[in-house]
Each structure stands twice: as C-alpha cells, then as structure tokens.
Amino acid sequence: MPSKEELAISGFYDGIYNFYGLANSFLTLGLDRWWRARAAGTARESAPGALTALDVCCGTGDFSLALKKTFGPRLKLTGADLSAAMLSAAKVKNPGVNFVLAGASELPFPDGSFDLITSSFAARNLNIDRGIMLSALRKFRRALKPGGLFLNLETTRPKNPALWFFMRTYVKTVIGLLNILSPKSRGSYSFLKNTILDFYGADEFSALLSEAGFTGVSCRILCPGAAAVHTARG
C-alpha cells in the first residue's frame, strides 16, 4: 500500500493537474522544456544502449515525451505515478507508452527490470524527510539492471547567494499570484513552493545518491544554476 505521505501528495497534484505544466513553465520562465531536453540528451549519452526505461513519478508525462523524442521507438518506456489524474494527462501526450498507477514506495517491478530509470521534477515531492527520500532512491536502484543508469532532473539550491535570493523571491511571488488566481488550489501550490525551496543542493543530493548505494555519481548544473541533472549507476 502507498504511504500516507504519498497519498497526500497525490491528492495535492490531483487538484492542479490541468494547470501543472503551465505552472512549471511560469515558475521556470519557460526553461523547464529546455532542461528536460538537455536531461533526455544526457540520458542517451550516458546510456546509449538502453532498451527499457522507467519514468518514475512521471506526472503528466512531459519527460516521458522528451525521452521518446530523444531515444526513438526502440526504447520500451514505462511511466509510473500515483496520481490517476496526472496519468490521464500523460496518456494523452504519450500514446503507446505503458503507464502504471504506482507510487515510489512500491514499484510493481521485479529487481533489475530496467536499463534506465528517470525522475524529472519529482524527487522534491519525495523529500518528506531524509529517510523517505533515501528509501525511494534505494527502491529505484533495486529496479535497475546491474550497471543501469539512474537520472534525476530537479531544481536545486544555487551556490551563488544572489541567485538563491532571486530564486526564493521569485518562487514565492509566483506561487502567491497562483494562489490569488486559483484560491481553491492554495494548498497544492503552497506545497509546490515548499518542495522547491526545501530541496537539497546539488552536492547534498550527490551524497544522498551515494548513500543509497549508487556508484559513479555525477552532476551537471543547468543554466542559470537553478536546476541540476544527476546521473548514477545501479
């Protein structure tokens, strides 16, 4: 059974799934699409022979679509998310992809099922506390084939103090505007704000991946410094 925390998060996103993509673009000044394209390119560079992939916590399927465009039809892609509403949107965008209703705590796949596992703007939602985040990463590693690639695209805490100040101010301002425009979704958008601002810096997340048992951890900071692509081997 999914944890209470996962069910609560799923409920948050059920309320805003129709506007989630627009909110992401608004929050990132449109950079989210470029970041996904760069991350998908990194996945192909790092795992050129991948034939099976799992896009975990796939949401509305934007990164699943980026993977399909980058790898082409040879990649057998599965998407998993605990929100049925988000999956309904993902299926429209990604015909032919196998989508499964499943949370990160109980991935219904045998050990060593995938050459590639990806997570895009989702790890922050699992960061309820350090233990839960670490447990999720270990479950992702379990589902990877030995030597398989895990790739994580996520917002990150910039090292530059001025950029971090701007990022915090901007996110709080945009979420405030969204709350005014959609007061019924105030709880969902406030949750989104907190997950972004409370997530790890890039070096901290690298250390967490190593603690979860991954090897060969690497990180690439994406312009202008507010997002990071981590790769690691199972």
Side-chain angles (χ1 to χ4, degrees), residues 43-203:
R44 185 169 182 179
E45 291 168 9
S46 303
L51 297 176
T52 56
L54 171 66
D55 188 20
V56 71
C57 304
C58 65
T60 56
D62 289 323
F63 196 60
S64 300
L65 185 60
L67 289 171
K68 280 177 56 183
K69 289 180 178 179
T70 302
F71 278 87
R74 68 179 176 82
L75 185 69
K76 183 180 179 182
L77 180 60
T78 299
D81 200 278
L82 194 55
S83 167
M86 298 284 264
L87 284 179
S88 68
K91 290 175 182 177
V92 172
K93 294 178 188 176
N94 294 276
V97 173
N98 177 38
F99 287 103
V100 177
L101 186 67
S105 67
E106 289 190 1
L107 294 176
F109 309 105
D111 293 2
S113 292
F114 301 99
D115 300 310
L116 170 67
I117 293 180
T118 64
S119 172
S120 169
F121 303 121
R124 63 195 184 206
N125 298 323
L126 303 174
N127 190 36
I128 300 161
D129 62 43
R130 193 175 186 280
I132 290 175
M133 182 79 258
L134 195 58
S135 175
L137 292 174
R138 286 171 174 155
K139 287 172 181 177
F140 299 162
R141 185 171 61 86
R142 175 195 63 78
L144 269 178
K145 292 180 181 178
L149 182 76
F150 174 64
L151 180 143
N152 187 77
L153 169 63
E154 188 55 89
T155 53
T156 192
R157 191 179 308 142
K159 291 184 178 180
N160 183 302
L163 181 57
W164 178 225
F165 174 79
F166 171 79
M167 180 178 170
R168 292 199 319 270
T169 303
Y170 178 74
V171 169
K172 290 176 182 178
T173 301
V174 170
I175 293 297
L177 290 172
L178 290 172
N179 283 335
I180 292 171
L181 293 172
S182 182
K184 291 183 179 179
S185 300
R186 180 179 297 273
S188 297
Y189 287 124
S190 295
F191 173 79
L192 180 59
K193 175 193 71 177
N194 292 335
T195 62
I196 293 171
L197 298 182
D198 292 342
F199 197 67
Y200 300 95
D203 291 344

